């Protein structure tokens, strides 16, 4: 079969990604059509085997967007069952912990009125709502290519290519995929989306804005002893074990069903190539305050995902001819609040409104400029404006100075709408890494198999699965770079920053070889972000491949 044999399906709006942004956009489109007594055809394409399979978040969710989208979500059974009951913030030392008074925190950090949830389950529920309204939701459909109209505008995507062997030949079950065209295409791929990356580069959407910044979030889900479970308790920490090695911190949320969601975020602007975010997380769980909660329980799921941290000054231009970026494809995470799902949903809803109005007006394939204006007038913009200097201060002045200045700036912004201008982030994260010669290797303790685990054992708890006979989806622009450049200069950091142990340096016949265990990839996107040579390009594997997260 040739590429010409692809089936073509036309929709009013094609949405890539069934996360909070994509699903909220699809629901809003159907709502607007129902209110106007008209029809609109919408499809949502998702690379995970089911909606929610690739969603990994904290998550404490601010329901502000959901209240607007589905005001009767409680009656409709949305899985937001655990209101936050207490909010605790600690600075950890190796064995002690100092609790910071809540009264000193900017009001916007308060989690009163928020819910401790599984974002994966919230997305499963949103997916059901969307389908009930007539949205066509296609899980297992990885969108691998964009298609363009003659005038250069984005026309649609190619999705569902199956059956290409590792050597590029076509297997018996080969399918060339389908072309799904839309009057508008909304990219809702989440952090570092592979098509979003192409669109940002092609249309220079990030021209004039600060580089996007990122963190890597590594998470486990634990069943804990019922007597230790405090429903709705939210704990954040900074300090040990990262200390001065890197910025970052932890979260522990007591969600429903005697479970805690425990995770660790390391800012990806770290300098030391010997740092292993995974091992920092395993170490952190050995802190007496944390270990005490986990003891007697068992880890039931594991995963990792990058998180956007650039905030307001890193949001690119949101529209391009034929579509728009929504949610973390553009990056709307409020970093001090560690919250992005409310902004992802709201930006999806605003893009949907702009697309609906355009289609009603007989337009297609142009720029949804009204969406950019709606964003500037929205509470999302205000949410990000107040905290825009926190991350630059943390990066520049470290934990204590950065926290103090960041808090002062947020207080002033919140109370008086005043602050010291907008700080810059400077370098992109991959350029922050320093040569290994400037640093010492870090000796991490061995996993005890009870509280801490080795990487590969943990990866088996992400239920990750990929068809083995397919092209490696982690494409190297130059296959020699890992051994000839990254290894001598940076001790090839991919061995350590990948939370799934995908990258290894093996010795064969006295020669070093770069091994990519692509089948273990949990789609976190860290390699695409942090590789110092920017030589790794994360592309979609066959649809349905990747993690199968339960309630992450
Ligand atoms: C560790 C961690 C903790 C967090 N904690 C919180 C929190 O407590 N509260 C909060 O509000 N936010 C939190 N966030 C942020 C929040 O998870 C994100 O802001 C939110 O998930 C963004 O939603 P989205 O729809 O833009 O993207 P995502 O949720 O990432 O969804 C994108 C979807 O698109 C799919 N996709 C991507 N590319 C393709 C493609 N090419 N083809 C088909 N499908 C594709 C993905 O599989 C995925 O299902 C956290 C994030 C992390 C990583
Ligand atoms: S290979 Fe890249 S995207 Fe996959 S798990 Fe490792 S760092 Fe993440």
């Amino acid at each position: 079969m040739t590429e010409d044999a692809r089936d073509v399906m036309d929709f009013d709006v094609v949405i890539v990604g069934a996360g909070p942004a994509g699903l909220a956009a699809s629901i809003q489109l159907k709502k607007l059509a129902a209110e106007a007594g008209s029809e609109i055809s919408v499809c949502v394409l998702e690379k995970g085997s089911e909606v929610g399979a690739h969603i990994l978040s904290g998550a404490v969710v601010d329901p502000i967007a959901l209240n607007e989208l589905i005001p009767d979500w409680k009656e409709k059974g949305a899985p937001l069952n655990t209101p936050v009951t207490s909010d605790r913030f600690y600075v950890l030392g190796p064995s002690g912990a100092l609790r910071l008074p809540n009264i000193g925190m900017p009001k916007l950090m308060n989690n009163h009125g928020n819910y401790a949830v599984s974002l994966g389950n919230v997305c499963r529920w949103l997916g059901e709502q969307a389908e009930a309204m007539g949205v066509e939701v296609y899980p297992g459909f990885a969108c691998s290519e964009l298609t363009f109209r003659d005038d250069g505008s984005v026309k649609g995507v190619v999705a569902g290519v199956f059956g290409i062997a590792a050597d590029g030949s076509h297997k018996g079950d080969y399918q060339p995929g389908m072309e799904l065209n839309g009057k508008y295409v909304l990219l809702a791929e989440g952090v570092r989306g592979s098509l979003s990356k192409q669109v940002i580069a092609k249309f220079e959407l990030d021209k004039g804005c600060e580089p996007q910044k990122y963190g890597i979030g590594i998470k486990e889900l634990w069943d804990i002893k019922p007597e230790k479970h405090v429903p709705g308790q939210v704990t954040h920490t900074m300090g040990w074990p990262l200390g001065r090695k890197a910025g970052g911190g932890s979260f522990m949320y007591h969600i429903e069903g005697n479970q805690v969601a425990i995770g660790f975020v390391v800012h990806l602007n770290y300098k030391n190539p010997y740092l292993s975010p995974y091992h920092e997380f395993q170490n952190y769980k050995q802190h007496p305050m944390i270990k005490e909660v986990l003891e007697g329980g068992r880890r039931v799921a594991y995963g990792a995902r990058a998180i956007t941290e650039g905030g307001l000054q890193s949001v690119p231009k949101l529209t391009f001819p034929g579509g728009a970026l929504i949610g973390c494809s553009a990056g709307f995470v409020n970093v001090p609040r560690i919250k992005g799902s409310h902004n992802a949903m709201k930006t999806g809803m605003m893009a949907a409104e702009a697309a609906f109005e355009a289609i009603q007006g007989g337009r297609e394939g142009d720029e949804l400029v009204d969406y950019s204006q709606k964003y500037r007038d929205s509470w999302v913009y205000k949410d990000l404006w107040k905290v825009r200097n926190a991350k630059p201060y943390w990066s520049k002045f470290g934990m204590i100075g950065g926290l103090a200045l960041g808090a002062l700036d947020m207080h002033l912004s919140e109370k008086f709408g005043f602050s010291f201008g907008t700080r810059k982030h400077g370098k992109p994260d991959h350029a922050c890494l320093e040569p290994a010669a400037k640093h010492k290797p870090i000796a991490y303790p061995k996993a005890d198999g009870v509280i801490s685990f080795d990487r590969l054992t943990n990866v088996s708890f992400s239920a990750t699965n990929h068809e083995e006979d397919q092209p490696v989806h982690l494409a190297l622009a130059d296959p020699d770079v890992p051994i000839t450049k990254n290894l001598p200069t940076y001790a090839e950091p991919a061995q350590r920053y990948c939370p799934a142990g995908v990258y290894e340096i093996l010795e064969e016949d006295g020669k070093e070889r770069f091994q990519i265990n692509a089948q273990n990839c949990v789609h976190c996107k860290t390699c695409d972000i942090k590789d110092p040579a920017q030589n790794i390009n994360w592309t979609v594997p066959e649809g349905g491949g990747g993690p199968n997260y339960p309630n992450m």
Side-chain angles (χ1 to χ4, degrees):
M1 231 188 245
T2 65
E3 287 182 354
D4 299 331
R6 276 184 183 138
D7 286 336
V8 177
M9 282 174 85
D10 292 320
F11 291 89
D12 288 315
V13 182
V14 169
I15 300 175
V16 180
L23 291 167
S26 74
I27 291 170
Q28 185 74 346
L29 282 161
K30 285 291 181 183
K31 252 178 81 177
L32 292 168
E35 280 161 22
S38 65
E39 294 283 326
I40 190 157
S41 58
V42 185
C43 81
V44 179
L45 303 156
E46 168 55 48
K47 65 179 163 64
S49 60
E50 55 156 348
V51 173
H54 287 185
I55 300 293
L56 184 142
S57 190
V60 170
V61 165
D62 180 340
I64 179 170
L66 187 59
N67 288 340
E68 288 181 20
L69 184 70
I70 306 178
D72 56 347
W73 54 265
K74 270 191 188 148
E75 293 73 33
K76 288 192 164 139
L80 283 77
N81 299 319
T82 314
V84 173
T85 51
S86 64
D87 229 344
R88 310 177 322 156
F89 196 94
Y90 289 87
V91 177
L92 297 187
S95 53
L98 175 72
R99 182 162 179 192
L100 300 182
N102 287 21
I103 198 133
M105 295 283 167
K107 226 170 85 198
L108 56 89
M109 303 279 282
N110 190 326
N111 276 312
H112 182 77
N114 298 333
Y115 293 82
V117 305
S118 149
L119 194 63
N121 282 351
V122 172
C123 287
R124 287 182 178 95
W125 179 83
L126 284 172
E128 286 163 16
Q129 307 307 304
E131 282 191 315
M133 296 170 89
V135 176
E136 294 180 45
V137 182
Y138 297 125
F141 268 70
C143 302
S144 47
E145 270 178 62
L146 293 160
T147 59
F148 298 91
R149 295 184 185 81
D150 291 341
D151 65 2
S153 61
V154 172
K155 182 169 82 167
V157 294
V158 173
V161 180
F162 283 97
I164 300 182
D167 64 6
S169 63
H170 293 174
K171 296 187 283 186
D173 60 348
Y174 172 68
Q175 286 174 33
M178 300 175 75
E179 260 182 55
L180 299 114
N181 297 327
K183 290 176 179 159
Y184 294 99
V185 176
L186 302 183
L187 295 177
E189 297 178 288
V191 54
R192 198 73 165 193
S194 45
L195 298 181
S196 311
K197 191 173 140 181
Q198 289 174 35
V199 157
I200 290 171
K202 181 175 166 66
F203 296 103
E204 298 183 329
L205 302 181
D206 56 354
K207 203 170 156 186
C209 62
E210 283 294 290
Q212 186 53 271
K213 303 294 278 182
Y214 301 90
I216 164 79
I218 307 176
K219 175 177 167 184
E220 292 170 2
L221 212 54
W222 281 68
D223 284 342
I224 60 165
K225 286 184 152 180
E227 61 269 27
K228 296 185 177 182
H229 192 250
V230 189
Q233 186 185 75
V234 164
T235 306
H236 292 113
T237 74
M238 291 185 106
W240 190 86
L242 280 176
R244 288 164 176 268
K245 291 192 291 266
S250 81
F251 60 87
M252 187 194 272
Y253 305 149
H254 288 243
I255 59 174
E256 63 189 311
N258 287 325
Q259 288 194 319
V260 290
I262 177 166
F264 203 79
V265 175
V266 174
H267 302 164
L268 284 175
N269 58 358
Y270 66 82
K271 296 175 182 168
N272 183 348
Y274 291 114
L275 188 97
S276 165
Y278 176 84
H279 291 97
E280 295 291 336
F281 174 39
Q282 296 307 309
N283 233 2
Y284 146 81
K285 286 184 294 167
Q286 299 289 359
H287 190 279
M289 188 179 104
I290 307 303
K291 190 173 174 178
E292 194 274 324
V293 180
L294 304 178
E295 264 169 346
R298 73 193 172 98
R299 170 265 283 115
V300 293
Y302 167 79
R305 184 93 167 101
I307 179 168
T308 54
E309 292 188 341
L312 191 83
Q313 51 274 59
S314 301
V315 172
K317 180 170 179 247
L318 297 177
T319 61
F320 49 86
L325 301 170
I326 59 177
C328 282
S329 278
F332 297 107
V333 172
N334 180 319
V335 185
R337 293 181 76 198
I338 331 178
K339 285 186 188 60
S341 59
H342 61 309
N343 288 344
M345 289 180 70
K346 180 66 179 174
T347 53
M349 290 156 67
M350 292 187 290
E353 283 152 25
F356 182 75
E357 285 155 19
I359 291 168
Q360 288 288 93
R363 286 162 46 198
E364 72 176 277
D366 58 355
E367 290 212 25
L368 293 169
V369 282
D370 287 357
Y371 164 41
S372 301
Q373 191 54 47
K374 282 174 197 284
Y375 160 64
R376 284 195 68 89
D377 296 340
S378 70
W379 51 253
V380 176
Y381 189 89
K382 291 193 185 84
D383 189 53
L384 296 181
W385 189 86
K386 287 182 210 155
V387 300
R388 70 197 185 288
N389 288 328
K391 165 87 182 175
Y393 282 138
W394 296 346
S395 305
K396 190 153 186 196
F397 300 106
M399 191 182 72
I400 305 294
L403 264 185
L405 269 172
L408 177 68
D409 197 298
M410 285 190 274
H411 271 305
L412 290 173
S413 295
E414 194 171 39
K415 285 209 172 120
F416 309 110
F418 167 82
S419 80
F420 310 110
T422 297
R423 304 279 134 194
K424 291 183 185 299
H425 292 304
K427 293 188 241 181
D429 290 333
H430 68 86
C432 296
L433 210 63
E434 292 179 346
K438 288 184 81 173
H439 297 271
K440 287 201 182 84
I442 303 171
Y444 288 105
K446 229 173 141 298
D448 62 15
V450 181
I451 299 292
S452 55
F453 310 100
D454 66 71
R455 256 189 307 194
L456 291 186
T457 308
N458 241 348
V459 172
S460 68
F461 282 78
S462 66
T464 295
N465 187 34
H466 288 96
E467 159 62 41
E468 293 219 358
D469 187 14
Q470 63 171 311
V472 174
H473 70 278
L474 303 146
L476 300 183
D478 178 346
D480 294 335
V481 161
I483 298 297
T484 58
K485 295 208 171 114
N486 283 356
L487 187 59
T489 311
Y490 300 104
E492 184 45 276
Q495 301 174 85
R496 291 170 293 276
Y497 61 59
C498 173
V502 167
Y503 301 105
E504 290 179 284
I505 303 285
L506 302 178
E507 251 202 53
E508 270 169 18
D509 307 326
K511 272 184 131 182
E512 276 134 346
R513 185 171 70 76
F514 191 57
Q515 163 90 11
I516 305 181
N517 305 306
Q519 68 280 5
N520 285 356
C521 174
V522 296
H523 298 200
C524 75
K525 312 281 178 81
T526 302
C527 50
D528 194 292
I529 298 163
K530 188 65 178 169
D531 176 40
Q534 286 296 277
N535 187 48
I536 303 175
N537 188 29
W538 191 98
T539 64
V540 285
E542 267 185 14
N548 283 285
Y549 294 138
N551 48 333
M552 292 288 257

